[in-house]
Amino acid sequence: MILTAQIFSAVGLVLTTGGRLFKKQEYNLAFNLLANIFFGISYIFLSAYMGAVCSFVAVVRSFVFYLYLKKDWNKNIWLLICFEIVYLITSIISFSGWYDFVLVLARGTIFTYGAWQQNVKVFRITSIIACVVTLLYNIKYQGYVNILAESISI
């Protein structure tokens, strides 16, 4: 199971690293969307179900934010609040311990706030913070390739 998880994470690593190379935030979000699918599957194989659930929420979030950027729609505060509430609810529903809860919720809310921003610098700073939090989560579940992916993203 751990080996299978690492293979899915490796695909996610390529996607997330590739996405960081683009200057436009919408391309980064598109690659992030795809990477989160593979990271979510990897978390299932690692029995890190809370991380998996929130990774799949991240897929939806990235898709919505990608559409907003691509269509040049204005993101309002209600969109941010909606996703932050969804992260809180899914974290509570998939609760597997306080360590997981704090890290997964922090990662989801921090990255969501950054992705909601129009300023790419704010997005990058919040991405780095979210990556550090995700590193701590992956250490517990032996997500070695996930750790590598987050380190490269930083």
Side-chain angles (χ1 to χ4, degrees):
M1 295 297 229
I2 289 179
L3 180 60
T4 306
Q6 304 312 320
I7 292 168
F8 278 100
S9 293
V11 175
L13 174 132
V14 170
L15 291 167
T16 195
T17 305
R20 302 271 194 233
L21 300 175
F22 292 100
K23 291 185 181 184
K24 288 192 170 188
Q25 189 175 0
E26 66 241 35
Y27 295 137
N28 191 310
L29 285 169
F31 275 79
N32 187 269
L33 179 154
L34 295 172
N36 275 315
I37 292 170
F38 287 95
F39 288 135
I41 294 169
S42 127
Y43 283 137
I44 290 170
F45 283 109
L46 293 172
S47 300
Y49 301 114
M50 191 172 191
V53 168
C54 287
S55 287
F56 295 124
V57 171
V59 169
V60 175
R61 179 212 54 222
S62 293
F63 179 71
V64 170
F65 286 175
Y66 171 82
L67 284 178
Y68 269 75
L69 284 170
K70 200 71 177 155
K71 304 278 185 186
D72 202 27
W73 296 337
N74 291 326
K75 292 182 261 182
N76 61 39
I77 190 72
W78 294 107
L79 183 64
L80 174 65
I81 292 170
C82 177
F83 275 110
E84 300 294 15
I85 290 170
V86 168
Y87 269 107
L88 178 62
I89 291 169
T90 56
S91 295
I92 290 169
I93 290 171
S94 62
F95 185 86
S96 58
W98 286 108
Y99 181 81
D100 293 3
F101 179 80
V102 169
L103 292 178
V104 170
L105 183 60
R107 190 236 194 267
T109 56
I110 291 167
F111 191 88
T112 299
Y113 175 76
W116 177 75
Q117 296 292 317
Q118 298 293 342
N119 187 329
V120 177
K121 288 182 183 180
V122 172
F123 178 61
R124 288 187 178 155
I125 291 167
T126 56
S127 292
I128 290 169
I129 295 167
C131 287
V132 170
V133 171
T134 307
L135 278 170
L136 297 172
Y137 183 75
N138 282 301
I139 289 169
K140 177 181 177 183
Y141 288 101
Q142 300 174 341
Y144 304 118
V145 177
N146 291 351
I147 292 168
L148 180 61
E150 298 302 328
S151 299
I152 291 171
S153 292
I154 291 171

